[in-house]
Amino acid sequence: GDSVTQMEGPVTLSEEAFLTINCTYTATGYPSLFWYVQYPGEGLQLLLKATKADDKGSNKGFEATYRKETTSFHLEKGSVQVSDSAVYFCALSTMGNTGKLIFGQGTTLQVKP
Amino acid sequence: EADIYQTPRYLVIGTGKKITLECSQTMGHDKMYWYQQDPGMELHLIHYSYGVNSTEKGDLSSESTVSRIRTEHFPLTLESARPSHTSQYLCASRKSSYNEQFFGPGTRLTVL
């Protein structure tokens, strides 16, 4: 079945460091890919998305490119801030079924001043 | 900004109580979902609905039930809460023509 695998956390970085969180997926068909972010005590917020191969999603300095050849959707940011500390979830959705999201296990990011 | 609401945000109750977690959205979305988030943060789909009078069970077996009498409302009920139900419950919705789901703030349930 469809699945998403994220790099394990926690990830601890200093402010202004470069961030990469790896995400790979397994899916039949052509899924849409998402990154969601969850701040402490809150629900999930959509960070960015890509709906087809080679699409680049971007938002708030974060970027991810849909790589069909490597089945990956790695999240990157050039310079993290303390306010980026949160849990990040990679997810996929295929339109052909319920439209449900299949999530990775989440990666905790802690940014230190 | 997504308009999806969940109440209560936090709930602590004793074993055996009946509870209902409320979820409402004002976006006119036809599809709605309930996810359970365990302490390890993984999210599992427990219920979903395609529209009014449509409900289906998700990937993770749950003793909870749901109803969808109105488009905007998708409550989740536990007839007899147990400590194993302690978790965070997240409600989400989406429009059929789009893939992204919008999430509510969640209800953190603790059953003593």
Side-chain angles (χ1 to χ4, degrees):
Chain A
D2 298 347
S3 66
V4 176
T5 302
Q6 287 180 237
M7 65 185 286
E8 291 193 16
V11 174
T12 303
L13 296 173
S14 297
E15 208 165 21
E16 298 183 4
F18 184 86
L19 168 71
T20 299
I21 300 178
N22 290 337
C23 171
T24 57
Y25 68 90
T26 302
T28 54
Y30 302 95
S32 294
L33 302 174
F34 306 88
W35 277 100
Y36 280 85
V37 58
Q38 186 175 32
Y39 297 102
E42 297 184 12
L44 274 69
Q45 298 176 26
L46 179 64
L47 182 59
L48 52 85
K49 66 174 183 178
T51 57
K52 62 183 187 298
D54 300 324
D55 268 3
K56 177 185 280 188
S58 61
N59 185 27
K60 299 181 181 179
F62 292 90
E63 291 184 340
T65 301
Y66 190 143
R67 301 285 188 201
K68 192 167 180 2
E69 64 277 12
T70 55
T71 61
S72 64
F73 193 54
H74 305 320
L75 181 69
E76 296 182 335
K77 188 176 185 183
S79 175
V80 293
Q81 306 300 313
V82 172
S83 57
D84 293 328
S85 299
V87 182
Y88 292 82
F89 292 91
C90 185
L92 69 81
S93 173
T94 52
M95 287 293 284
N97 58 11
T98 61
K100 67 182 180 182
L101 288 170
I102 296 171
F103 288 93
Q105 67 269 41
T107 302
T108 299
L109 170 65
Q110 184 177 22
V111 180
K112 297 188 173 181
Chain B
E1 188 77 17
D3 296 321
I4 180 164
Y5 309 98
Q6 290 186 245
T7 58
R9 291 293 311 277
Y10 303 92
L11 180 61
V12 181
I13 59 167
T15 297
K17 299 292 187 183
K18 177 180 178 178
I19 60 165
T20 296
L21 308 184
E22 302 287 350
C23 174
S24 295
Q25 50 94 7
T26 59
M27 299 172 282
H29 289 171
D30 47 346
K31 292 184 166 58
M32 296 189 73
Y33 306 82
W34 276 104
Y35 294 86
Q36 185 173 335
Q37 186 172 29
D38 62 27
M41 298 180 299
E42 286 199 43
L43 290 136
H44 302 282
L45 180 69
I46 52 175
H47 298 284
Y48 60 96
S49 167
Y50 289 125
V52 172
N53 294 326
S54 149
T55 61
E56 301 287 343
K57 290 191 178 297
D59 301 323
L60 181 69
S61 176
S62 173
E63 293 165 349
S64 59
T65 59
V66 293
S67 62
R68 189 94 182 273
I69 298 171
R70 303 197 314 267
T71 297
E72 63 272 21
H73 195 213
F74 192 41
L76 180 146
T77 298
L78 277 166
E79 290 292 333
S80 179
R82 295 206 302 268
S84 60
H85 297 137
T86 294
S87 191
Q88 167 136 279
Y89 293 85
L90 293 168
C91 180
S93 71
R94 64 177 272 256
K95 197 173 174 61
S96 283
S97 50
Y98 295 98
N99 265 337
E100 62 254 45
Q101 293 182 19
F102 295 93
F103 282 79
T107 294
R108 186 168 295 281
L109 172 66
T110 302
V111 184
L112 303 175

